[in-house]
Amino acid sequence: MRPCRNCGASIEASDHGVTCPRCGAENPGVRGAAAQPVAHPVAQPAAPAPGPPTAVKVILAVAMAAVGVGFAVMFFAQVDPPQEPAPRARQLSTQLDALCFVDANGDDAPDPVLWQDGKTRGRVVAIDGRSGHGIWSSQAIEKPDALACPDRSTVLAGGGEANRLHALDASTGKERWAAELPGVPDEVAGGDGCATVVMKDGAAMGISLAAGAAADCPTAPEPAAITGQFWERKKNPQVVQVGDVEVALTVQAEGPPRLVAEGRRGGASLWKKDLAARAPVSGGRPDLFLVASGGAALVLGVDVVGGTEPRLIALDPASGASRYEVPASYLGERLAVAKASGPYVYIVSGAAVSGAALRAIDPATGGTVWRATAPPPP
């Protein structure tokens, strides 16, 4: 027996040619086989599959490079340090009822100025009249008291500590000068380039706004015997001018402090009406709040039933008709100041035992435009 030269199967050993029964190949005789050795098939390695065309290779390479750049950008973006969140603005709180106006940021709109924090130590702050955001804060002043804005670029702040009066720049809150006074400053009335300062003991002196030196101030209003925001809101009646109509707000002397409003033109009465509100009471005496804004007379009072919930009433000056009467419990029980300047009415109010807030009120609706936030300390 011998193997088939083609497939290796066993076939007969013969001198003659033999056909392989398995694959059908012809195998020569033994003698021919010796002359021609049988070649066993050798396994050849498989040919590699044809690759993509050159153009496709270039496109794939560019795509992979782009993906690599993208992953690199994502990686570096992720490892960047996280941004610190912006500090949350703190709502302004005041213990005093002083309020005046300057142009602190040069936008030709009135910006409220008031004291921040407690009665024993405080800072003067300026608030953006358009947004309610704090603009600047002064250095701390001991025993804050008097506060005035004699012109649009100057703030005068008085403290009981060392009987000083501080002049602050209305744009920055930085101190221009500090003057020593003969007594504790109580109220300041601004004039033309000067001011009159009233002391706690009733004495008065003039002072120059340029350098804080003593100087006569004939253009400042004559100081009253009793001054201050507390006594301003005790005046009965309160009177404002709305166009050509004078509106007066009074409270009856006896019984519940019901509010009465009257409109007059040229001294003649146009209308008179009892309001559905009473005057709030502080220090044992009623407070009257009346301002002219937006072509209306705006009254701040309290509900006639409970006598504690604040109410805003807008009166038409010509007819006395109520344009609106809205509850305003958010103002709190302590109503300290209501002043009109520019497009808004500014109210300082709060809870009876805590600090008061400053709010801007839209005179057209009685709604709150903003509540003031405190500026950062210097």
Side-chain angles (χ1 to χ4, degrees), residues 278-289:
R278 295 196 296 181
V281 176
S282 66
R285 300 181 60 175
D287 296 322
L288 285 78
F289 298 99

Side-chain angles (χ1 to χ4, degrees), residues 334-350:
R334 178 190 167 209
L335 305 177
V337 183
K339 289 187 177 182
S341 187
Y344 301 135
V345 175
Y346 298 91
I347 296 177
V348 177
S349 66

Side-chain angles (χ1 to χ4, degrees), residues 84 177 241:
E84 291 292 333
W177 48 259
Q241 192 75 29

Side-chain angles (χ1 to χ4, degrees), residues 57 83 193 218 236 265-266 272 312 356 360-361 373:
K57 292 181 179 179
Q83 297 294 324
N236 186 18
R265 181 185 287 127
K272 188 175 183 179
L312 289 168
I361 304 298
T373 57

Side-chain angles (χ1 to χ4, degrees), residues 71-88:
F71 276 112
V73 172
M74 292 176 60
F75 173 77
F76 287 110
Q78 289 178 352
V79 298
D80 281 344
Q83 297 294 324
E84 291 292 333
R88 185 177 179 181

